[in-house]
Amino acid sequence: MTTVLVTGASGMIGSRLVRELAARGHDVRASVRTADRAATLGDLATLAVIADLDDPAAVDRAVAGCDQVVLIAANSERQAQQELTVIDAAERHGVAYLIKLSVGGPAADAPLALARDHYRSEQRLQAAGVPATVVRPGFVMQNLLQFAAWIQPDGTWRLPFGDGAMAMVDAVDVAAALAVLVGSGRPTADQVWTGAESLTMADAAQQLSGATGRPITYADGDAEAFYEHYVADGHEPRYARDITVLYDQIVRAGWVAPVAPDLEQVLGRAPRTFAQFAAEHAAEFAATPSSPE
Ligand SMILES: NC(=O)c1ccc[n+]([C@@H]2O[C@H](COP(=O)([O-])OP(=O)(O)OC[C@H]3O[C@@H](n4cnc5c(N)ncnc54)[C@H](OP(=O)(O)O)[C@@H]3O)[C@@H](O)[C@H]2O)c1
């Protein structure tokens, strides 16, 4: 049986992946930051191992004895160092296969700090020589849930995407495809995982209107107003600036519109559609707005 460590196991993708892997019969170590976070795993809480990624000794203990590692870390100023800590431990312990969740466009001079951090981590992974696959999901549909409360009482939904289209991918598919990679156990070329259709936010709002029965109309928003609102929602300024640039410059310019075939090839089926996502999350988007713009 393959023993696989999943970091970021209480997060959006990690929590779904832990469930997929457990269902497929893998021996899963679900790495969470603190003991109380194990409860986020629900009935799978017994799979939790406690490892703050800022604590190299704890990471070393979590990695020791694993055949595989799925490296998922939260975007923050500490992300690159946290990922280096995991990669170093994987190298030390002779991990047979590491799958790293990354982003599109990593580079030393990338406009987004998070893309520079991922680049640093990918460089270290290559140098470590641990057999690996780097996975680059596109814009994840579930990102939109954090903006559901921004929809105004009259249905106006102001975000700075312009009319840039996105080949959005469902986190359910990202987790399912990561589980397929774990099952194969073999490194592949870099994976670019998108949905099968490219939608603008006007298209997405229209589909959410249909799913919720609530008129939702996308309106192009100002970048600085978005940044202020996002920081007010509790996000770190550096991260909020990255997300602002991502939406206002990268998405707006159409850079995340292209559909890639990799996800469908790994899953052996078509990726989930935005219509499916909208139907499943209709209640969240139909809710009465709580925060005035
Ligand atoms: N969202 C997208 O559209 C998208 C697209 C491409 C790539 N990505 C990449 O996906 C990754 C994020 O995945 P996600 O969305 O699943 O993340 P997420 O929901 O933000 O979850 C991050 C996880 O990291 C954990 N964490 C934070 N600090 C930690 C620490 N010091 N020690 C241990 N664990 C810690 C969090 O635990 P707590 O629950 O304790 O906070 C949480 O489980 C990022 O690297 C991002 O660049 C995202």
Side-chain angles (χ1 to χ4, degrees), residues 10-13 33 37 52-53 73 75 79 102 118 140 143:
S10 56
M12 174 170 69
I13 293 166
R33 185 197 332 220
R37 300 298 287 150
D52 189 322
L53 298 183
N75 296 133
Q79 178 170 9
S102 192
H118 277 296
V140 174
N143 291 336

Side-chain angles (χ1 to χ4, degrees), residues 113-126:
L114 66 88
R116 297 194 293 273
D117 289 343
H118 277 296
Y119 177 77
R120 223 180 115 196
S121 165
E122 286 184 30
Q123 294 294 106
R124 178 72 191 97
L125 186 56
Q126 263 185 20

Side-chain angles (χ1 to χ4, degrees), residues 147-148 150-158 201-219 282 284-289:
F147 303 119
W150 292 31
I151 302 169
Q152 293 298 290
D154 70 356
T156 304
W157 200 18
R158 202 173 292 285
M201 279 303 292
D203 300 329
Q206 192 177 31
Q207 292 201 25
L208 287 167
S209 295
T212 58
R214 168 192 188 188
I216 300 172
T217 310
Y218 170 70
E284 286 128 293
F285 289 98
T288 309

